[in-house]
Amino acid sequence: MKNRFMKFTVFAFFAVAIFCLFSSCYTPNPLYGTWTDNDGNKIQFIDDGTFSAIIKDSDDNLVSYSGDWTAIDNVLIFNIKGDTTYTRNTEWDLRGAMLYLTWTANNNTKMLVLYHTSR
């Protein structure tokens, strides 16, 4: 009887340890994937912490951006790379498959409503 209890205890310990190991590894971010609208604006959030974006400017020209991104609570931090690297913070809101945010770069500010189109 004592031997059975010991085997069960060891088994339970390893089962809990394996569960904790797998449940603490990777938490997917709901922003991962491609977000677009019907106006040609597009942001792709990649799980390695990088992004690429194509956003219309005030003259309706499509401008490409890329760099790193971080999400802290409801703030997105974009490190936009180009000739110079600069940081822009924006508040974001996710409602179902729609992402609301304000894009500001190169004196271009746009209120965006983007739809999740792919992972």
Side-chain angles (χ1 to χ4, degrees):
M1 184 75 162
K2 195 174 193 181
N3 194 17
R4 273 187 177 169
F5 179 75
M6 192 65 166
K7 285 182 182 179
F8 176 77
T9 303
V10 170
F11 173 78
F13 172 79
F14 281 113
V16 169
I18 289 172
F19 173 78
C20 290
L21 177 72
F22 283 112
S23 65
S24 67
C25 288
Y26 174 76
T27 304
N29 191 312
L31 294 175
Y32 293 158
T34 303
W35 299 82
T36 59
D37 65 11
N38 294 328
D39 201 28
N41 299 300
K42 174 181 169 182
I43 301 177
Q44 183 177 23
F45 294 99
I46 305 167
D47 61 0
D48 65 358
T50 60
F51 78 94
S52 63
I54 300 172
I55 308 294
K56 277 191 175 180
D57 65 10
S58 57
D59 297 326
D60 282 340
N61 297 317
L62 292 173
V63 180
S64 295
Y65 303 93
S66 64
D68 303 322
W69 68 279
T70 305
I72 300 174
D73 296 326
N74 67 330
V75 175
L76 273 172
I77 303 165
F78 290 102
N79 291 313
I80 301 170
K81 298 184 175 164
D83 294 337
T84 60
T85 299
Y86 54 96
T87 300
R88 293 291 184 257
N89 299 340
T90 185
E91 191 174 356
W92 64 281
D93 185 23
L94 193 60
R95 300 178 204 158
M98 295 180 0
L99 173 64
Y100 294 80
L101 64 93
T102 302
W103 178 267
T104 302
N106 295 339
N107 297 322
N108 179 23
T109 300
K110 291 194 88 117
M111 297 293 295
L112 296 176
V113 178
L114 304 171
Y115 302 91
H116 204 200
T117 55
S118 66
R119 291 235 173 239

